[in-house]
Amino acid sequence: MIGKIATEEHFVSQDAKSYLPDLGVSPDVQRRIDDGLDANNIEQLRLPEMDKHGVEMHLVSLTADGVQLEPDRDKAVKVAKLANDALAEKFLARHPARFACLATVALQDPKAATDELERAVTQLGFKGALANGFSNAGDLDTGEYYDLPKLLPFWERVQDLDVPFYLHPRGPLNSQQKIYEGHAELLGPAWAFGVETATHVLRLITSGLFDRFPKLTVIIGHLGEGLAPSMWRAQNRFNDASFGKKLKKPLSQYLKDNFYITTSGNFHTPTLLNVIAEMGADRVLFAIDYPYERTDEAVAWFDNCAISDEDRQKIGRLNALRIFKLKNRAI
Ligand code: GRE
Ligand code: ZN
């Protein structure tokens, strides 16, 4: 398929390099993530790879853990602004037809994050925001999840601006890694990223956030971080054990009404078919997870997987045009 739009693609900015998790990435991945530091590398590495595989656009975001890892609120706010400026200058200004941007927001400071989201969308032309999981606030043992009441004005602004918010994974707080002891291989994207993000999503839903802001749109990657096949059971037990929490709709209905799920780093047809069955093809977006995943592998799978051509067009391009309000250029 030509004209694919990939929606969870990453870069790193100079000031956010220190927030990269130590996950032992290969020199090749390192070289590719570094392209955000040097605009020429975007032309030498990223764009040729996109061209070769029919990827028209990357929705680019600051890679994990990003400013979410910065416990100093003021510093997090500053680094977020600098990252957004670097993204605008190095990607968007130079190649506006090939890149669209998701803003970094320092949610340690909800007011500053709200202002920065507004600046990024209205002044820089960004299409939404992305955060890498909970924010450290004050120190590295303090994690703030986004169902906290102080985040409500931020969510209200996300809804008012009518832009999506991408909840990208990060690993669990240091104090909550007991279950991974002796299993560092499970702490990162292999497992813990998904558990952390799926639980965060359920916190958002059961907090009533989407009853308050029914038009909010949240995107999650990795074919739903395991959520889609778990919703029936979660609902069944939630009915008996909701601890007084009252929601207007079943849990799975919020997933259908308020969430989009991307294919980032999960190129597996049975899982995709399950997500389509639970959510509908209008709620699924193509993503690679550049540079952590290989474009050739993602595309060889997506272009040939057993879905209808109509669904492939929706997932590969049309849904992204709609929700990010991108210009539909002739392809
Ligand atoms: C990701 O963005 O999903 C990711 C990282 C770091 C390592 C691996 C990975 O941010 O998949
Ligand atoms: Zn990613």
Side-chain angles (χ1 to χ4, degrees):
M1 173 185 166
I2 55 169
K4 287 183 287 294
I5 299 172
T7 54
E8 189 197 305
E9 318 312 320
H10 303 303
F11 86 115
V12 74
S13 64
Q14 188 61 46
D15 317 271
K17 269 205 92 164
S18 60
Y19 307 134
L20 289 168
D22 183 15
L23 294 168
V25 298
S26 71
D28 185 52
V29 168
Q30 189 63 52
R31 207 160 53 94
R32 284 164 199 273
I33 197 73
D34 280 351
D35 78 352
L37 306 175
D38 177 350
N40 291 325
N41 280 352
I42 294 171
E43 275 131 44
Q44 279 154 26
L45 291 171
R46 194 180 293 242
L47 283 167
E49 193 162 320
M50 293 164 66
D51 291 341
K52 190 169 165 198
H53 298 288
V55 179
E56 182 187 326
M57 284 191 104
H58 274 188
L59 264 289
V60 186
S61 51
L62 184 67
T63 193
D65 292 335
V67 301
Q68 277 67 54
L69 182 65
E70 175 54 65
D72 176 334
R73 287 186 179 83
D74 293 343
K75 185 162 179 215
V77 169
K78 270 191 208 122
V79 175
K81 242 181 206 312
L82 289 169
N84 292 332
D85 286 342
L87 184 51
E89 182 192 327
K90 291 191 169 137
F91 287 80
L92 192 55
R94 291 166 64 108
H95 301 282
R98 307 304 301 280
F99 297 117
C101 308
L102 297 179
T104 293
V105 281
L107 290 161
Q108 297 90 334
D109 182 336
K111 165 86 173 75
T114 306
D115 291 346
E116 181 60 5
L117 171 70
E118 175 127 15
R119 180 184 84 95
V121 171
T122 61
Q123 293 177 35
L124 303 179
F126 285 18
K127 300 302 182 185
L130 178 143
N132 296 296
F134 65 86
S135 294
N136 290 111
D139 65 66
L140 285 175
D141 278 332
T142 309
E144 294 185 342
Y145 291 88
Y146 304 144
D147 53 312
L148 286 176
K150 68 180 177 180
L151 268 304
L152 289 173
F154 171 77
W155 288 118
E156 184 169 26
R157 192 70 58 91
V158 174
Q159 179 175 268
D160 288 349
L161 288 167
D162 194 21
V163 292
F165 176 92
Y166 205 123
L167 185 63
H168 187 276
R170 68 176 290 185
L173 272 177
N174 292 344
S175 60
Q176 292 175 19
Q177 297 183 4
K178 171 79 182 165
I179 197 170
Y180 300 105
E181 217 166 72
H183 291 272
E185 73 281 3
L186 298 178
L187 250 182
W191 188 254
F193 272 29
V195 173
E196 180 68 32
T197 311
T199 308
H200 198 165
V201 164
L202 291 172
R203 289 182 65 109
L204 296 181
I205 293 175
T206 60
S207 75
L209 180 67
F210 302 102
D211 286 337
R212 193 183 278 251
F213 302 124
K215 294 204 167 104
L216 264 185
T217 296
V218 176
I219 306 174
I220 51 176
H222 311 103
L223 283 177
E225 315 288 9
L227 278 167
S230 305
M231 293 312 279
W232 190 92
R233 174 163 168 73
Q235 180 65 49
N236 193 35
R237 290 296 95 221
F238 182 82
N239 290 339
D240 280 357
S242 65
F243 297 98
K245 292 198 171 169
K246 292 270 176 285
L247 296 175
K248 288 188 180 158
K249 301 188 280 193
L251 301 177
S252 63
Q253 197 61 44
Y254 296 100
L255 208 60
K256 288 176 196 161
D257 292 348
N258 298 98
F259 286 79
Y260 283 79
I261 285 180
T262 83
T263 66
S264 61
N266 201 347
F267 313 134
H268 188 56
T269 306
T271 311
L272 173 65
L273 294 177
N274 171 258
V275 168
I276 293 174
E278 292 284 353
M279 306 274 294
D282 291 334
R283 288 268 160 187
V284 188
L285 300 164
F286 176 66
I288 300 165
D289 212 346
Y290 184 96
Y292 301 103
E293 303 289 344
R294 297 177 54 100
T295 304
D296 56 358
E297 193 189 344
V299 165
W301 167 72
F302 181 72
D303 283 356
N304 298 294
C305 68
I307 56 175
S308 69
D309 283 341
E310 189 189 347
D311 284 357
R312 205 181 325 275
Q313 288 296 324
K314 284 181 178 180
I315 295 168
R317 177 176 175 85
L318 300 176
N319 295 339
L321 288 177
R322 184 178 73 250
I323 77 159
F324 295 111
K325 302 189 197 108
L326 303 171
K327 275 201 199 99
N328 192 1
R329 295 181 176 82
I331 50 168

